[in-house]
Amino acid sequence: MDQTRRLLPIAALAAGAASLVARPAAACDAEAMEAHLTAVCDGALEPARQALAAAMEHATPEERMAMQRALTIANSTCTTGDPVAGARIAANLARLAGRIEGRAGVQSLTLDLLG
């Protein structure tokens, strides 16, 4: 009888732990996480898109093709939820737009507008 009383709390803990393991985590919604990662990636890519649109008229045909190809890849990475790759491409595209505008002599924003 004493042994049964000692094992009863252990059995209750084991049953409780088994029920926790069997349930899926309520906070882990894969679709919601994927949508959020896509939104983060799109948010990082949008300023680069705007910079490219401004630089497009000053770009060479080769630069235009490269920008369009990179934008297609970046959009694809955002759709698949890879914000690291999308952010990396966004930074490279923004740098390219800056180089194109600098070469064309386009005045950049003042530092006051960047903050």
Side-chain angles (χ1 to χ4, degrees), residues 9 30 36 39 83-84 95:
H36 184 69
V84 174
R95 288 174 52 205

Side-chain angles (χ1 to χ4, degrees), residues 1 7 9 17 100 103:
M1 182 79 156
L7 292 178
I100 292 169
R103 182 185 67 220

Side-chain angles (χ1 to χ4, degrees), residues 7 11 13-14 16 21 27 30 32 43 49 54 59-60 66-67 90 93 108-109:
L7 292 178
L13 281 174
V21 171
R49 285 184 188 120
T60 65
M67 287 188 288
L93 287 172
S108 64
L109 298 174

Side-chain angles (χ1 to χ4, degrees), residues 58-105:
H58 306 290
T60 65
E62 294 83 18
E63 289 170 333
R64 285 186 187 126
M65 286 181 21
M67 287 188 288
Q68 290 169 349
R69 186 174 55 247
L71 272 175
T72 301
I73 293 168
N75 289 331
S76 174
T77 60
C78 286
T79 302
T80 60
D82 189 356
V84 174
R88 185 180 306 118
I89 294 170
N92 289 336
L93 287 172
R95 288 174 52 205
L96 175 60
R99 284 189 202 120
I100 292 169
E101 287 187 330
R103 182 185 67 220

